[in-house]
Amino acid sequence: MWFVKYFAVHLLGLGIIKTLGYQCTPSAFTDALPANASILYAIPNGPNSTFGNPYNPGYPTNATNLPPFCAVLVNVTSSSTSSFTFGLFLPDQWNDRFLAVGNGGFAGGVNYLDMGAGLQYGFAVISTDTGHNSSSFDVSWALNQPEKQIDWGYRAMHGSIVLAKQLVTAYYDCSIRYSYYSGCSTGGRQGLKDIELYPEDFDGVLAGAPAWWTTHLQTWTIKLGTYNLPVNASSHIPVSLFPVISAEVFRQCDGLDGLVDGIIVDPRRCDFYYEALLCTPTSNASACLTSPQLDTLYHICKPKHQPPANPSLPPLTTPDNDYVDTNQTFVFPHLELGSEAQWPVLLGGSAPNALGTGYVQDFLLNDPSWPYTDFSYAIVQLADALDPGSPNADDFDLGPFHAHGGKLLQYHGLADALIATGSSVYFYTHVLRALVPQGIPLADWYRLFLVPGMQHCGGGVNDAPWYFAGGGQAGTLATPGVHGVPGFEDARHDALLALMAWVEQGEAPLEIVVTKFGNDTVADGVVRQRLLCPYPSTPVYGGGDVDSAASFACGAVL
């Protein structure tokens, strides 16, 4: 046998294994490697350790407060012009389970911070660098690099999963009982893409705010930016007016759920009167919008008032200002009312955000000099035709994943201004339309939770609760070294534990309690907790403490 196992004893709970004396050295893994892979290092780490990579622009923050583990870094050649690397954490106390964590934006690099959170549950955890090293907004690595684009699109994730599972099984001399995935944004896309192509990779997937429609999301990012450009146009809304818009949105929409609490539970129920913001001769110009600026606002987020959906078959929404182009072709949904606090990211610059322009320049056209002023629907059509790197996770027939017994728990913040919340509703509805006619209802294996007041992947508007141990959330808290939901280590408060209970005990999540810590710091205690409900239902206030989840129940239909 290629390694020495001195002692192991099974503990209760999640099947924790106490392990002593494994050989955490590069040579210990050699026999498990294919010819195109090599071990860059294998480093044993003691209790309360810190781990990271200071030369990792995508994930510069170290994971801290780690239990004893073996840190492994593996490089895999994926083509004659590309390779990818993945990190693997192997805990001394293993729970017999495997977890892959995702990436964000166009970032390359191993996501050690999310790996650290997973390690503290007892998982053997992996993260891939997707084949390059960069920050989230840097797309230059993709220029004239089709093989690297494929690695980022799907190949590095799947390749890392397959090899990592082999290394885990060999290291512990024990089969993996269950395999899980957790990621948000690009990480959410990676999870969906993987189960579309390789439905047996995971037993459960936690996918947040998935950037699943790359060819439309990145081009919509440009289109959205152009609504508020150029900055010297009379229609331009300066960033200083975003809070003015937000204040009026909350004045009109906050109380529709019966509570004026700084949380808009369902922005689509708000028939917002935009002209309330119109300047008059006596208005303060810093607190109102001109008529041309109102036109811009309509383009950004004006929805058509929708009737409640049929709870058994939610229809597609058809808001006025989704991005719809030639022959009424749907491109991407609008931003939701209540997302204004995050508007500066995509609407506050002198040009559209690089997440859009960089994609067109470096992925699609291989022309860094392409000006965003040349954008037209033809760019969307070209992106759809080429789908460079094949990142789109748009195969809505998830029947093979369902047949495997997989469970999919998806979530999206209703105040997300980086990826419009409606894109998750669109994905869910299209999966429903693909599978219900086949006699496969979704509730038994796929649930979507919309999070009132939550921004992109985490963070809340006006103290809206947002924390439930979703992808990347532990690292967003101001308290380092956190995993799970401190003080609430159960499947009702922790989305990853909820997914595990669904997979392993068949306990579908009927609701999830979401938490807001004071100043996003665990030591400052819980400020507020609220209830999340599976789409299309929403939380309904029943009386009592407005900061307690016990005062709410799932009932109203979107």
Side-chain angles (χ1 to χ4, degrees):
M1 188 173 292
W2 60 273
F3 65 92
V4 180
K5 180 164 68 175
Y6 293 99
F7 181 76
V9 58
H10 285 268
L11 301 179
L12 299 176
L14 292 177
I16 298 291
I17 297 176
K18 177 68 175 179
T19 63
L20 298 173
Y22 288 105
Q23 290 186 356
C24 182
T25 63
S27 60
F29 296 91
T30 302
D31 290 345
L33 292 176
N36 65 330
S38 60
I39 300 293
L40 301 182
Y41 62 66
I43 303 172
N45 293 264
N48 300 314
S49 57
T50 295
F51 202 90
N53 178 357
Y55 306 104
N56 185 346
Y59 308 96
T61 306
N62 290 339
T64 62
N65 195 33
L66 302 177
F69 70 104
C70 177
V72 183
L73 192 67
V74 183
N75 181 260
V76 180
T77 299
S78 53
S79 78
S80 61
T81 58
S82 64
S83 66
F84 59 84
T85 299
F86 68 86
L88 173 62
F89 283 176
L90 298 164
D92 284 10
Q93 295 189 11
W94 182 43
N95 66 6
D96 291 344
R97 291 155 177 82
F98 176 89
L99 176 69
V101 298
N103 302 83
F106 290 100
V110 174
N111 187 353
Y112 287 114
L113 193 59
D114 278 11
M115 289 178 67
L119 180 71
Q120 293 184 70
Y121 286 91
F123 288 105
V125 195
I126 69 118
S127 168
T128 178
D129 70 352
T130 73
H132 68 281
N133 195 31
S134 76
S135 65
S136 295
F137 296 88
D138 178 8
V139 198
S140 61
W141 56 267
L143 183 65
N144 293 309
Q145 295 289 340
E147 295 294 336
K148 287 183 178 291
Q149 293 176 7
I150 294 171
D151 280 344
W152 179 83
Y154 67 92
R155 185 169 58 191
M157 177 58 74
H158 177 65
S160 297
I161 292 163
V162 171
L163 180 52
K165 285 184 176 182
Q166 294 171 359
L167 298 180
V168 170
T169 299
Y171 184 74
Y172 292 112
D173 193 23
C174 181
S175 297
I176 297 168
R177 291 175 60 194
Y178 298 101
S179 295
Y180 295 96
Y181 178 86
S182 177
C184 192
S185 194
T186 286
R189 178 194 65 78
Q190 289 169 308
L192 296 180
K193 180 71 174 182
D194 192 80
I195 61 174
E196 289 173 6
L197 293 177
Y198 312 103
E200 296 186 357
D201 273 359
F202 298 111
D203 300 300
V205 169
L206 181 62
W212 64 269
W213 207 357
T214 304
T215 58
H216 284 211
L217 169 61
Q218 312 314 142
T219 50
W220 164 82
T221 297
I222 300 173
K223 183 72 171 180
L224 179 69
T226 62
Y227 292 151
N228 204 31
L229 293 170
V231 294
N232 60 357
S234 61
S235 58
H236 175 72
I237 305 174
V239 171
S240 61
L241 284 177
F242 292 171
V244 174
I245 297 169
S246 182
E248 183 60 28
V249 166
F250 278 87
R251 188 187 73 81
Q252 293 188 37
C253 306
D254 185 5
L256 295 179
D257 60 347
L259 291 174
V260 178
D261 56 358
I263 301 174
I264 300 174
V265 170
D266 181 11
R268 284 162 289 182
R269 287 185 177 175
C270 183
D271 201 2
F272 186 69
Y273 181 58
Y274 287 71
E275 280 67 27
L277 288 161
L278 184 63
C279 293
T280 70
T282 59
S283 296
N284 183 337
S286 64
C288 64
L289 271 65
T290 64
S291 182
Q293 288 172 330
L294 280 178
D295 287 340
T296 298
L297 187 59
Y298 268 68
H299 282 302
I300 293 169
C301 64
K302 182 182 184 296
K304 182 186 295 181
H305 188 63
Q306 295 292 313
N310 180 332
S312 65
L313 190 64
L316 289 172
T317 56
T318 54
D320 288 341
N321 283 312
D322 286 344
Y323 178 16
V324 178
D325 216 293
T326 304
N327 296 323
Q328 293 300 298
T329 303
F330 179 84
V331 181
F332 213 72
H334 65 283
L335 293 178
E336 300 289 350
L337 295 167
S339 65
E340 300 80 22
Q342 214 169 29
W343 284 8
V345 179
L346 298 187
L347 288 161
S350 58
N353 190 280
L355 290 170
T357 54
Y359 169 78
V360 173
Q361 292 169 338
D362 298 323
F363 251 82
L364 184 62
L365 300 180
N366 292 305
D367 179 7
S369 67
W370 177 83
Y372 79 84
T373 50
D374 284 353
F375 179 81
S376 70
Y377 181 55
I379 292 292
V380 182
Q381 293 174 307
L382 181 62
D384 278 341
L386 299 180
D387 191 17
S390 298
N392 278 354
D394 56 356
D395 182 356
F396 302 117
D397 186 354
L398 296 181
F401 181 66
H402 166 263
H404 168 63
K407 302 293 189 288
L408 173 57
L409 199 164
Q410 183 177 343
Y411 61 90
H412 206 133
L414 278 163
D416 190 335
L418 273 66
I419 300 177
T421 309
S423 63
S424 277
V425 175
Y426 186 97
F427 184 90
Y428 175 91
T429 305
H430 277 71
V431 172
L432 184 147
R433 289 186 167 202
L435 295 186
V436 166
Q438 301 179 39
I440 304 175
L442 301 194
D444 293 340
W445 62 279
Y446 176 19
R447 297 193 177 191
L448 167 65
F449 290 81
L450 302 182
V451 188
M454 188 176 85
Q455 297 178 312
H456 187 59
C457 294
V461 177
N462 298 332
D463 280 343
W466 60 271
Y467 188 79
F468 47 92
Q473 288 190 346
T476 306
L477 285 175
T479 305
V482 169
H483 81 285
V485 183
F488 305 92
E489 294 85 3
D490 58 65
R492 191 163 181 258
H493 297 79
D494 183 322
L496 185 54
L497 292 181
L499 179 64
M500 294 171 67
W502 198 5
V503 168
E504 299 176 25
Q505 282 86 46
E507 299 172 359
L510 302 177
E511 59 191 29
I512 295 175
V513 175
V514 62
T515 299
K516 168 66 179 180
F517 293 103
N519 299 308
D520 292 332
T521 302
V522 174
D524 288 352
V526 174
V527 172
R528 172 182 281 173
Q529 290 183 318
R530 287 290 176 86
L531 207 61
L532 303 182
C533 302
Y535 181 84
S537 63
T538 57
V540 178
Y541 177 59
D545 183 358
V546 298
D547 295 327
S548 171
S551 300
F552 296 80
C554 295
V557 176
L558 292 176

